[in-house]
């Protein structure tokens, strides 16, 4: 009689192989999870390093000394351009303009003045020049200081006001402050007032450490007299 071959060992072998495959699959999954976690950590570290680098650059830029803003009182081109922009406003284009009472110029480029409406000469409005743009402000009552200041006596054609004169006034003030003051004050404000139709440029006074002087200017902003006080 023939012996029937045993079949238990092939089954056990297959079972062992399946167990090995399962273990390898589990190990690979564990390895894959570890690699994925490592990648996430590496990406997070790179992001933090980049953020730290950007923050360091920003701190370095913030600590760098900033160039001082230009003093526009000495910038004739800026001043002349501001005047041209005012004349080019749609409500004024082609119209002769008059200014009322005074015009103020500041070192940061701001200009404040009051304009007589060319279409309604009894109306006056504030206009301001800031960051290179003219804007209309509040209406002005020209009789608020009458009879000392009136629309008739204290108005002048804008054509008579040369904005470039501001730079000459500022230069004269700087020169005399440098001579009279140990620590000269920077020129931050120049203005012109209209009195009986005539222009008077200010400030005129320079207060030194030991003496003061009064400057007188002509219509072109040139110093015509220096009086000690």
């Amino acid at each position: 009689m023939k012996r029937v071959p045993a079949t238990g060992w092939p089954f056990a072998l297959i079972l062992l192989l399946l167990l090995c495959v399962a273990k390898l699959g589990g190990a690979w999954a564990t390895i894959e999870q570890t690699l994925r976690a490592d990648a996430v950590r590496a990406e997070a570290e790179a992001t933090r390093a980049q953020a730290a680098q950007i923050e360091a650059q920003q701190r370095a830029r913030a600590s760098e000394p900033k160039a001082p803003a230009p003093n526009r009182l000495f910038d004739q081109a800026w001043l002349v351009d501001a005047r041209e922009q005012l004349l080019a406003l749609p409500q004024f284009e082609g119209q002769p303009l008059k200014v009322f009472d005074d015009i103020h110029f500041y070192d940061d480029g701001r200009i404040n003045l009051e304009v007589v409406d060319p279409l309604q000469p009894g109306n006056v409005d504030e206009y301001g020049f800031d960051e290179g743009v003219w804007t209309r402000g509040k209406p002005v009552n020209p009789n608020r200081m009458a009879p000392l200041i009136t629309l008739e006596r204290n108005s002048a054609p804008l054509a008579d006001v040369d904005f470039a004169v501001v730079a000459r006034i500022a230069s004269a003030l700087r020169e005399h402050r440098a001579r009279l003051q140990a620590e000269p004050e920077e020129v931050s404000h120049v203005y012109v007032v209209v009195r009986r139709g005539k222009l008077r440029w200010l400030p005129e006074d320079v207060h030194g450490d030991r003496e003061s002087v009064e400057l007188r200017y002509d219509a072109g902003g040139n110093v015509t007299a220096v009086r000690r006080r």
Side-chain angles (χ1 to χ4, degrees):
M1 178 180 289
K2 293 183 180 180
R3 184 180 293 178
V4 178
T7 59
W9 69 269
F11 178 77
L13 181 60
I14 292 171
L15 182 59
L16 180 61
L17 289 172
L18 289 174
L19 289 171
C20 291
V21 169
K23 288 183 178 180
L24 289 172
W28 172 251
T30 301
I31 294 172
E32 186 178 11
Q33 291 175 356
T34 302
L35 292 175
R36 187 179 296 113
D38 290 343
V40 171
R41 282 195 296 270
E43 183 178 356
E45 290 176 0
T47 301
R48 285 194 296 270
Q50 184 179 15
Q53 182 180 9
I54 293 173
E55 184 179 356
Q57 292 174 347
Q58 290 175 341
R59 285 198 302 267
R61 284 195 294 268
S63 63
E64 293 177 355
K66 296 181 180 180
N71 189 330
R72 295 299 187 183
L73 296 177
F74 297 88
D75 191 340
Q76 287 194 9
W78 172 274
L79 295 162
V80 171
D81 182 66
R83 184 179 181 277
E84 294 303 316
Q85 287 189 51
L86 177 63
L87 290 169
L89 291 177
Q91 62 268 39
F92 296 147
E93 193 170 6
Q95 300 287 337
L97 294 185
K98 283 188 174 184
V99 291
F100 173 65
D101 195 17
D102 50 29
I103 307 175
H104 293 264
F105 303 84
Y106 300 92
D107 55 350
D108 59 3
R110 288 178 297 122
I111 303 173
N112 294 327
L113 49 75
E114 298 172 351
V115 179
V116 180
D117 190 331
L119 301 180
Q120 297 181 338
N123 292 349
V124 179
D125 295 288
E126 294 178 347
Y127 278 83
F129 188 69
D130 191 11
E131 295 185 354
V133 178
W134 283 103
T135 54
R136 182 178 176 176
K138 299 178 181 179
V140 175
N141 177 4
N143 298 313
R144 65 187 186 274
M145 297 185 68
L148 181 63
I149 295 176
T150 65
L151 187 58
E152 181 180 357
R153 292 191 304 170
N154 299 94
S155 298
L158 182 63
D160 293 347
V161 186
D162 183 1
F163 282 19
V165 169
V166 173
R168 301 189 194 107
I169 302 294
S171 296
L173 290 169
R174 174 182 281 178
E175 176 185 345
H176 284 81
R177 288 179 183 181
R179 185 171 59 84
L180 297 173
Q181 299 173 352
E183 296 182 1
E185 299 175 72
E186 185 54 82
V187 183
S188 60
H189 180 210
V190 172
Y191 59 108
V192 59
V193 298
V194 183
R195 296 295 179 261
R196 296 186 179 182
K198 295 183 179 180
L199 304 178
R200 181 176 179 181
W201 289 95
L202 299 162
E204 297 175 334
D205 295 330
V206 177
H207 299 291
D209 298 332
R210 294 186 179 277
E211 65 174 340
S212 298
V213 297
E214 180 183 7
L215 308 179
R216 289 300 178 91
Y217 317 101
D218 62 16
N222 303 298
V223 177
T224 58
V226 179
R227 298 177 181 175
R228 286 176 171 78
R229 296 193 306 176

